[in-house]
């Protein structure tokens, strides 16, 4: 959904995007900002001077939603764009102060809007994501990964946005000098598939430790299927996580190093759980197949249980 101060303007912008995206874009719609702010994830794609008045007015509607900050504090002078300091440290931190209950995530500072609207093969760059909310950051990383040509990297807490925002004027000056549309690509990192594996495993571990079946189910595609016993039929992901976490308190949970290539990988886990008055240790492994957006399409779970608490042995999970 596209938001604007006027619903008619928002719908006109949505129509332009539908024309660009083609026949698969029927879901793109427009609405006034107050209605668009009720979306599960809200991206404030406005220049820095517009951020404060917009965020202040929408703070009640934004509530505790995930809000993606993209604004960059910069001015334009004879030598081109230059960043300037803001009291909060960065535009993203200022947004967090203006909307204290929102889960602010900073991203997209180094990606050209023109490139995002271009052909699907026009992008080949990284997006640095910062946030003080790890779950929100993981979700935004997964959403960015759904855009062809973009690799999302979790760059740590929101204080890091002060650095990522300052990259924007540098790229703009380089674009002017070289008459190009440059992006950011970091060398020496694992392949994107390995990053998706690690991100999925960490998000699943956090959901399991918190006993949050809904958060775990959100890590699967709508058609995601799970199996935890060779004689049981496959289950929908939501039913599997709800049944798995029901009446169970997880005292500790560890995952090993994912092993695999492409969308398929396997990873060991070790969990200490309590059901009623009984504490058991579950040691097992899962086989996972990921979709291109980093969500799980298929999970196979095999484990054994031992009474009492047993912590991982030396060398486990390597």
């Amino acid at each position: 959904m596209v938001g604007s101060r006027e619903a008619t303007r928002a719908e006109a912008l949505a129509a332009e995007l539908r024309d660009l995206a083609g026949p698969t874009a029927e879901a793109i719609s427009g609405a006034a900002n107050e209605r668009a702010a009720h979306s599960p994830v809200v991206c404030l794609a406005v220049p820095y001077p517009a951020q404060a008045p917009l965020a202040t007015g929408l703070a009640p509607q934004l509530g505790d939603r995930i809000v993606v900050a993209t604004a960059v504090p910069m001015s334009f002078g004879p030598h081109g764009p230059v960043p300037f300091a803001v009291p909060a440290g960065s535009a993203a931190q200022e947004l967090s102060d203006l909307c204290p209950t929102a889960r602010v995530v900073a991203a997209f500072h180094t990606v050209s809007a023109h490139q995002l609207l271009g052909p699907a093969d026009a992008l080949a760059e990284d997006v640095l994501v910062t946030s003080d909310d790890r779950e929100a950051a993981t979700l935004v990383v997964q959403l960015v990964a759904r855009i062809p040509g973009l690799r999302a990297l979790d760059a740590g807490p929101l204080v890091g946005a002060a650095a990522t925002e300052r990259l924007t004027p540098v790229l703009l000056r380089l674009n002017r000098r070289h008459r190009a549309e440059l992006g950011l690509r970091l060398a020496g990192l694992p392949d994107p598939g390995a990053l998706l594996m690690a991100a999925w495993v960490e998000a699943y571990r956090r959901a399991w430790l918190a006993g949050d079946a809904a958060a775990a189910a959100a890590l699967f595609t709508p058609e995601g299927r799970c199996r935890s016993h060779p004689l049981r039929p496959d289950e929908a992901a939501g039913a599997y996580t709800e049944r798995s976490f029901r009446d169970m308190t997880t005292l500790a949970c560890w995952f090993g190093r994912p092993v695999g290539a492409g969308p398929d990988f396997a990873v060991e886990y070790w969990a200490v759980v309590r059901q009623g008055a009984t504490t058991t240790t579950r040691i097992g492994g899962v086989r996972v197949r990921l979709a291109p957006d980093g969500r799980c399409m298929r999970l196979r779970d095999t484990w054994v249980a031992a009474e009492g608490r047993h912590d991982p042995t030396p060398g486990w999970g390597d």
Side-chain angles (χ1 to χ4, degrees):
M1 179 179 289
V2 179
S4 183
R5 285 175 295 181
E6 298 179 2
T8 53
R9 173 58 177 160
E11 182 50 46
L13 290 171
E16 293 178 19
L17 292 175
R18 287 195 295 269
D19 290 341
L20 286 171
T24 61
E26 293 86 353
I28 301 176
S29 61
N33 285 332
E34 291 75 14
R35 182 183 171 195
H38 287 285
S39 302
V41 179
V42 179
C43 183
L44 293 189
V46 295
Y48 174 71
Q51 176 180 271
L54 180 62
T56 302
L58 293 179
Q61 289 83 7
L62 292 173
D64 61 355
R65 289 172 172 79
I66 296 174
V67 181
V68 182
T70 67
V72 175
M74 61 181 173
S75 59
F76 292 82
H79 300 292
V82 292
F84 61 81
V86 296
S90 68
Q93 289 169 291
E94 180 181 284
L95 178 60
S96 183
D97 292 341
L98 293 169
C99 304
T101 60
R103 305 161 69 189
V104 175
V105 180
F108 294 110
H109 296 125
T110 59
V111 183
S112 160
H114 182 261
Q115 292 281 78
L116 282 172
L117 292 172
D121 60 353
L123 295 167
E125 54 193 274
D126 294 331
V127 176
L128 302 180
V129 177
T130 61
S131 179
D132 293 332
D133 187 314
R134 293 297 88 213
E135 183 181 346
T138 298
L139 178 59
V140 172
V141 165
Q142 293 172 342
L143 290 174
V144 173
R146 299 177 70 176
I147 302 174
L150 293 185
R151 179 176 66 175
L153 303 174
D154 188 334
L158 196 63
V159 67
T164 60
E165 290 172 8
R166 286 175 173 264
L167 291 171
T168 302
V170 174
L171 288 174
L172 290 175
R173 289 198 300 272
L174 287 170
N175 285 344
R176 176 183 293 182
R177 174 170 294 182
H178 297 283
R179 298 183 179 180
E181 286 189 288
L182 304 178
L184 181 71
R185 189 70 170 180
L186 300 180
L189 289 170
D191 66 87
L195 294 173
L196 287 178
M197 292 179 206
W200 189 92
V201 168
E202 176 59 15
Y204 190 75
R205 185 193 70 81
R206 288 176 179 271
W208 187 353
L209 189 59
D212 192 338
L219 299 172
F220 291 80
T221 62
E223 301 80 20
R225 307 293 294 179
C226 306
R227 179 182 294 177
S228 60
H229 191 284
L231 298 181
R232 286 183 186 148
D234 285 3
E235 298 177 83
Y240 169 79
T241 55
E242 177 64 31
R243 178 181 60 77
S244 298
F245 295 169
R246 186 187 305 135
D247 303 324
M248 181 176 71
T249 300
T250 303
L251 305 178
C253 183
W254 300 269
F255 275 78
R257 178 176 55 85
V259 178
D264 296 291
F265 69 93
V267 61
E268 294 180 286
Y269 66 81
W270 190 301
V272 181
V273 302
R274 179 183 295 144
Q275 291 179 292
T278 304
T279 298
T280 58
T281 298
R282 296 186 181 183
I283 307 166
V286 291
R287 289 180 56 198
V288 177
R289 169 165 288 183
L290 295 181
D293 65 359
R295 292 182 295 172
C296 180
M297 298 188 294
R298 187 181 68 193
L299 181 144
R300 298 289 183 266
D301 185 3
T302 305
W303 50 274
V304 295
E307 292 186 5
R309 173 167 183 150
H310 306 273
D311 287 347
T313 55
W316 173 86
D318 291 342

